[in-house]
Amino acid sequence: MKPSRYRALLVDMDGVLWRGQEPIEENLKVLRALDLPMVFLTNNSTTTRARYLERLRALGLEVPETHVLTSGYAAALWLKRRGILKTFVIGEEGITQELELLGIRYETDPDAVLQRGYQPEAVVVGLDRRLSYAKLWAGQRSIQKGALFVATNTDATYPTETGPAPGAGAVVSALQTAAGREPHIVIGKPQPQMFRLALEILKVEPEQALMIGDRWDTDIVGARRLKIPALLVLTGVTSADEVPSGTEGVTVVQNLSRWLQGPA
Ligand SMILES: [Mg+2]
Protein backbone atom coordinates (compact mmCIF):
# COMPACT_ATOMS: atom_id res chain seq x y z
CA MET A 1 0.00 0.00 0.00
CA LYS A 2 2.95 2.33 -0.63
CA PRO A 3 2.72 5.56 -2.72
CA SER A 4 4.54 3.92 -5.66
CA ARG A 5 1.51 1.64 -6.17
CA TYR A 6 -0.64 4.60 -7.18
CA ARG A 7 -0.69 7.00 -10.10
CA ALA A 8 -2.54 9.81 -8.31
CA LEU A 9 -3.88 10.95 -4.95
CA LEU A 10 -7.21 12.41 -3.86
CA VAL A 11 -6.58 14.34 -0.66
CA ASP A 12 -9.16 15.65 1.78
CA MET A 13 -8.08 18.90 3.44
CA ASP A 14 -9.60 19.51 6.88
CA GLY A 15 -8.18 16.95 9.33
CA VAL A 16 -5.50 15.87 6.84
CA LEU A 17 -3.62 19.10 6.07
CA TRP A 18 -4.78 21.15 9.06
CA ARG A 19 -6.98 21.20 12.15
CA GLY A 20 -8.54 24.65 12.30
CA GLN A 21 -5.61 27.03 11.89
CA GLU A 22 -2.99 24.46 12.89
CA PRO A 23 -1.04 22.70 10.07
CA ILE A 24 -0.55 18.92 10.44
CA GLU A 25 3.17 18.67 9.65
CA GLU A 26 3.42 14.84 9.81
CA ASN A 27 1.07 14.72 6.81
CA LEU A 28 2.20 17.86 4.99
CA LYS A 29 5.85 16.91 4.79
CA VAL A 30 4.99 13.63 3.07
CA LEU A 31 2.68 15.31 0.55
CA ARG A 32 5.30 17.97 -0.26
CA ALA A 33 7.85 15.24 -1.00
CA LEU A 34 5.66 12.88 -3.05
CA ASP A 35 6.00 13.16 -6.79
CA LEU A 36 2.40 12.24 -7.64
CA PRO A 37 -0.43 14.29 -9.15
CA MET A 38 -2.95 15.25 -6.46
CA VAL A 39 -6.43 16.69 -6.31
CA PHE A 40 -7.42 18.35 -3.04
CA LEU A 41 -11.10 18.18 -2.18
CA THR A 42 -13.46 19.35 0.52
CA ASN A 43 -17.17 19.27 1.30
CA ASN A 44 -16.89 22.81 2.66
CA SER A 45 -19.00 25.12 0.48
CA THR A 46 -18.40 28.37 2.37
CA THR A 47 -14.92 29.12 0.99
CA THR A 48 -13.81 29.56 -2.64
CA ARG A 49 -11.30 27.43 -4.49
CA ALA A 50 -9.07 30.48 -4.84
CA ARG A 51 -8.75 30.82 -1.07
CA TYR A 52 -7.96 27.13 -0.65
CA LEU A 53 -5.33 27.43 -3.35
CA GLU A 54 -3.68 30.31 -1.47
CA ARG A 55 -3.67 28.27 1.70
CA LEU A 56 -2.21 25.18 0.01
CA ARG A 57 0.58 27.22 -1.58
CA ALA A 58 1.33 28.95 1.73
CA LEU A 59 1.88 25.46 3.18
CA GLY A 60 4.36 24.60 0.43
CA LEU A 61 2.06 22.47 -1.74
CA GLU A 62 2.46 23.45 -5.40
CA VAL A 63 -0.95 22.72 -6.85
CA PRO A 64 -2.47 23.84 -10.17
CA GLU A 65 -5.72 25.70 -9.54
CA THR A 66 -7.66 23.10 -11.52
CA HIS A 67 -6.68 20.52 -8.87
CA VAL A 68 -8.66 22.05 -5.98
CA LEU A 69 -12.29 20.96 -5.60
CA THR A 70 -14.92 22.29 -3.22
CA SER A 71 -18.54 21.15 -3.10
CA GLY A 72 -19.57 24.69 -4.09
CA TYR A 73 -17.46 24.54 -7.25
CA ALA A 74 -18.54 20.98 -8.06
CA ALA A 75 -22.18 22.06 -7.70
CA ALA A 76 -21.63 25.01 -10.05
CA LEU A 77 -19.95 22.73 -12.59
CA TRP A 78 -22.77 20.18 -12.34
CA LEU A 79 -25.29 22.95 -13.14
CA LYS A 80 -23.19 24.37 -15.97
CA ARG A 81 -22.91 20.97 -17.66
CA ARG A 82 -26.70 20.75 -17.62
CA GLY A 83 -27.11 24.20 -19.12
CA ILE A 84 -28.66 25.63 -15.95
CA LEU A 85 -27.89 29.34 -15.78
CA LYS A 86 -30.33 30.83 -13.26
CA THR A 87 -30.17 29.97 -9.55
CA PHE A 88 -31.22 30.94 -6.05
CA VAL A 89 -28.55 30.33 -3.41
CA ILE A 90 -28.89 29.56 0.28
CA GLY A 91 -25.20 29.59 1.08
CA GLU A 92 -22.02 31.64 1.19
CA GLU A 93 -19.33 32.97 -1.18
CA GLY A 94 -17.93 29.49 -1.76
CA ILE A 95 -21.07 28.91 -3.82
CA THR A 96 -21.89 32.35 -5.23
CA GLN A 97 -18.38 33.15 -6.46
CA GLU A 98 -18.00 29.78 -8.17
CA LEU A 99 -21.37 30.25 -9.93
CA GLU A 100 -20.31 33.70 -11.06
CA LEU A 101 -16.98 32.41 -12.43
CA LEU A 102 -18.91 29.87 -14.53
CA GLY A 103 -21.32 32.52 -15.80
CA ILE A 104 -24.33 31.29 -13.83
CA ARG A 105 -26.73 33.92 -12.51
CA TYR A 106 -27.64 33.78 -8.83
CA GLU A 107 -29.83 35.57 -6.32
CA THR A 108 -29.40 35.39 -2.54
CA ASP A 109 -32.12 37.90 -1.67
CA PRO A 110 -35.32 36.03 -0.82
CA ASP A 111 -37.42 39.03 -1.85
CA ALA A 112 -36.35 38.42 -5.44
CA VAL A 113 -38.35 35.19 -5.29
CA LEU A 114 -41.04 36.11 -2.77
CA GLN A 115 -41.87 39.57 -4.10
CA ARG A 116 -40.33 40.15 -7.51
CA GLY A 117 -41.23 36.93 -9.31
CA TYR A 118 -37.68 35.63 -9.82
CA GLN A 119 -37.96 31.95 -10.80
CA PRO A 120 -34.64 30.07 -10.67
CA GLU A 121 -33.98 26.78 -12.47
CA ALA A 122 -32.17 25.49 -9.39
CA VAL A 123 -31.88 26.21 -5.68
CA VAL A 124 -28.30 25.62 -4.50
CA VAL A 125 -28.02 24.94 -0.77
CA GLY A 126 -25.00 24.78 1.51
CA LEU A 127 -23.97 26.04 4.91
CA ASP A 128 -25.39 29.56 5.34
CA ARG A 129 -24.47 31.32 8.56
CA ARG A 130 -27.00 34.02 7.66
CA LEU A 131 -29.85 31.57 7.17
CA SER A 132 -33.28 33.15 7.59
CA TYR A 133 -36.91 32.10 7.51
CA ALA A 134 -37.37 34.15 4.32
CA LYS A 135 -34.53 32.30 2.56
CA LEU A 136 -36.11 28.94 3.42
CA TRP A 137 -39.43 30.21 2.14
CA ALA A 138 -37.91 31.44 -1.12
CA GLY A 139 -36.14 28.09 -1.56
CA GLN A 140 -39.30 26.15 -0.85
CA ARG A 141 -41.39 28.22 -3.26
CA SER A 142 -38.80 27.87 -6.04
CA ILE A 143 -38.58 24.10 -5.64
CA GLN A 144 -42.35 23.69 -5.55
CA LYS A 145 -42.53 25.66 -8.80
CA GLY A 146 -40.12 23.23 -10.42
CA ALA A 147 -36.57 24.36 -9.57
CA LEU A 148 -34.00 21.61 -8.99
CA PHE A 149 -32.94 21.17 -5.35
CA VAL A 150 -29.13 20.92 -5.32
CA ALA A 151 -27.37 20.27 -1.99
CA THR A 152 -23.64 20.94 -1.82
CA ASN A 153 -23.33 18.43 1.05
CA THR A 154 -25.26 16.99 3.96
CA ASP A 155 -22.65 17.11 6.74
CA ALA A 156 -24.60 17.38 10.00
CA THR A 157 -21.92 19.45 11.71
CA TYR A 158 -18.50 20.92 11.14
CA PRO A 159 -15.73 21.26 13.72
CA THR A 160 -14.94 24.60 15.37
CA GLU A 161 -12.57 25.56 18.20
CA THR A 162 -15.52 25.41 20.63
CA GLY A 163 -16.97 22.11 19.36
CA PRO A 164 -19.26 20.99 16.51
CA ALA A 165 -21.48 23.64 14.89
CA PRO A 166 -24.54 23.01 12.63
CA GLY A 167 -23.42 22.12 9.10
CA ALA A 168 -24.93 22.29 5.61
CA GLY A 169 -26.96 19.16 6.37
CA ALA A 170 -28.98 21.06 8.94
CA VAL A 171 -29.87 23.69 6.34
CA VAL A 172 -30.68 21.05 3.70
CA SER A 173 -32.95 19.21 6.18
CA ALA A 174 -34.91 22.35 6.99
CA LEU A 175 -35.52 23.05 3.30
CA GLN A 176 -36.27 19.39 2.60
CA THR A 177 -38.96 19.42 5.29
CA ALA A 178 -40.53 22.62 3.97
CA ALA A 179 -40.36 21.61 0.30
CA GLY A 180 -41.61 18.07 0.93
CA ARG A 181 -38.90 16.40 -1.12
CA GLU A 182 -35.28 15.28 -0.95
CA PRO A 183 -32.55 17.05 -2.94
CA HIS A 184 -32.36 16.06 -6.63
CA ILE A 185 -28.63 15.71 -6.09
CA VAL A 186 -26.16 15.87 -3.22
CA ILE A 187 -22.73 16.86 -4.52
CA GLY A 188 -20.35 16.31 -1.58
CA LYS A 189 -18.72 13.17 -0.21
CA PRO A 190 -19.74 10.36 0.30
CA GLN A 191 -21.81 10.88 -2.88
CA PRO A 192 -19.85 10.06 -6.07
CA GLN A 193 -19.86 13.47 -7.80
CA MET A 194 -16.64 14.95 -6.39
CA PHE A 195 -14.72 11.66 -6.53
CA ARG A 196 -15.65 11.26 -10.21
CA LEU A 197 -14.64 14.81 -10.95
CA ALA A 198 -11.26 14.27 -9.26
CA LEU A 199 -10.61 11.08 -11.28
CA GLU A 200 -11.58 12.94 -14.44
CA ILE A 201 -9.11 15.76 -13.67
CA LEU A 202 -6.34 13.27 -12.85
CA LYS A 203 -7.18 11.08 -15.88
CA VAL A 204 -6.89 7.85 -13.89
CA GLU A 205 -9.08 4.82 -13.22
CA PRO A 206 -10.45 4.35 -9.68
CA GLU A 207 -8.01 1.48 -8.88
CA GLN A 208 -5.03 3.65 -9.87
CA ALA A 209 -5.85 6.36 -7.33
CA LEU A 210 -5.71 6.57 -3.54
CA MET A 211 -8.12 8.60 -1.44
CA ILE A 212 -6.55 10.03 1.73
CA GLY A 213 -9.05 11.27 4.33
CA ASP A 214 -9.74 11.62 8.04
CA ARG A 215 -13.47 10.90 8.06
CA TRP A 216 -14.75 7.36 7.71
CA ASP A 217 -18.37 8.05 6.75
CA THR A 218 -17.54 10.52 3.95
CA ASP A 219 -13.97 10.12 2.64
CA ILE A 220 -13.57 6.39 3.07
CA VAL A 221 -17.13 5.16 2.47
CA GLY A 222 -17.46 7.35 -0.63
CA ALA A 223 -14.14 6.24 -2.10
CA ARG A 224 -14.89 2.55 -1.59
CA ARG A 225 -18.28 2.81 -3.30
CA LEU A 226 -16.36 3.74 -6.46
CA LYS A 227 -13.67 1.10 -5.77
CA ILE A 228 -11.02 3.73 -5.06
CA PRO A 229 -8.44 2.41 -2.54
CA ALA A 230 -8.53 4.46 0.66
CA LEU A 231 -6.18 5.52 3.41
CA LEU A 232 -7.65 6.74 6.69
CA VAL A 233 -5.36 9.00 8.71
CA LEU A 234 -6.14 9.36 12.40
CA THR A 235 -5.23 13.04 12.46
CA GLY A 236 -8.79 14.35 12.25
CA VAL A 237 -12.38 13.33 13.00
CA THR A 238 -12.38 9.51 13.05
CA SER A 239 -10.50 7.75 15.85
CA ALA A 240 -9.03 4.23 15.77
CA ASP A 241 -11.87 2.67 17.81
CA GLU A 242 -14.47 3.96 15.35
CA VAL A 243 -13.00 2.05 12.41
CA PRO A 244 -15.06 -1.00 11.36
CA SER A 245 -12.91 -4.15 11.19
CA GLY A 246 -12.03 -6.01 8.00
CA THR A 247 -12.92 -3.39 5.42
CA GLU A 248 -11.42 -4.32 2.08
CA GLY A 249 -9.31 -1.74 0.27
CA VAL A 250 -8.79 0.47 3.32
CA THR A 251 -5.59 1.07 5.26
CA VAL A 252 -5.60 2.91 8.59
CA VAL A 253 -2.51 4.83 9.73
CA GLN A 254 -1.70 7.28 12.50
CA ASN A 255 -0.43 9.81 9.97
CA LEU A 256 1.28 9.89 6.56
CA SER A 257 4.81 9.83 8.00
CA ARG A 258 3.97 6.53 9.69
CA TRP A 259 2.48 5.30 6.43
CA LEU A 260 5.82 5.71 4.68
CA GLN A 261 7.64 3.92 7.50
CA GLY A 262 5.19 0.99 7.61
CA PRO A 263 5.30 -2.39 5.78
CA ALA A 264 5.09 -2.40 1.98
MG1 LIG B 1 -11.63 15.95 6.59
Side-chain angles (χ1 to χ4, degrees), residues 46-124:
T46 62
T47 304
T48 61
R49 286 201 301 163
R51 282 184 198 260
Y52 275 112
L53 190 66
E54 274 172 30
R55 194 164 180 192
L56 292 169
R57 288 182 175 167
L59 290 170
L61 294 164
E62 276 314 311
V63 191
E65 62 177 302
T66 48
H67 286 45
V68 181
L69 292 179
T70 65
S71 66
Y73 168 74
L77 192 61
W78 187 87
L79 293 166
K80 177 89 175 178
R81 287 177 173 179
R82 278 154 191 81
I84 292 168
L85 294 170
K86 193 176 174 190
T87 63
F88 178 71
V89 174
I90 301 176
E92 302 189 11
E93 67 166 21
I95 299 174
T96 56
Q97 289 202 15
E98 303 298 356
L99 289 170
E100 193 167 319
L101 285 170
L102 291 180
I104 299 171
R105 185 180 169 193
Y106 67 89
E107 276 287 351
T108 55
D109 177 4
D111 287 347
V113 173
L114 298 173
Q115 299 188 20
R116 297 195 292 274
Y118 179 77
Q119 177 56 38
E121 298 166 86
V123 178
V124 188

Side-chain angles (χ1 to χ4, degrees), residues 12 14-15 214 219:
D12 173 53
D14 201 8
D214 71 305
D219 301 322

Side-chain angles (χ1 to χ4, degrees), residues 2 18 24 31 35-36 86 113-114 125 127 149 160 177 197 229-230 235 245 247:
K2 282 300 157 74
W18 50 69
I24 305 174
L31 294 172
D35 188 21
L36 278 174
K86 193 176 174 190
V113 173
L114 298 173
V125 187
L127 176 58
F149 180 0
T160 72
T177 301
L197 200 51
T235 48
S245 57
T247 311

Side-chain angles (χ1 to χ4, degrees), residues 211-227:
M211 172 72 208
I212 300 174
D214 71 305
R215 197 159 177 152
W216 186 271
D217 59 356
T218 55
D219 301 322
I220 308 304
V221 168
R224 292 309 299 148
R225 280 185 195 157
L226 293 179
K227 305 257 189 306

Side-chain angles (χ1 to χ4, degrees), residues 126-140:
L127 176 58
D128 185 340
R129 286 167 289 190
R130 292 206 168 87
L131 181 65
S132 67
Y133 186 80
K135 285 186 185 178
L136 284 176
W137 196 351
Q140 174 224 38

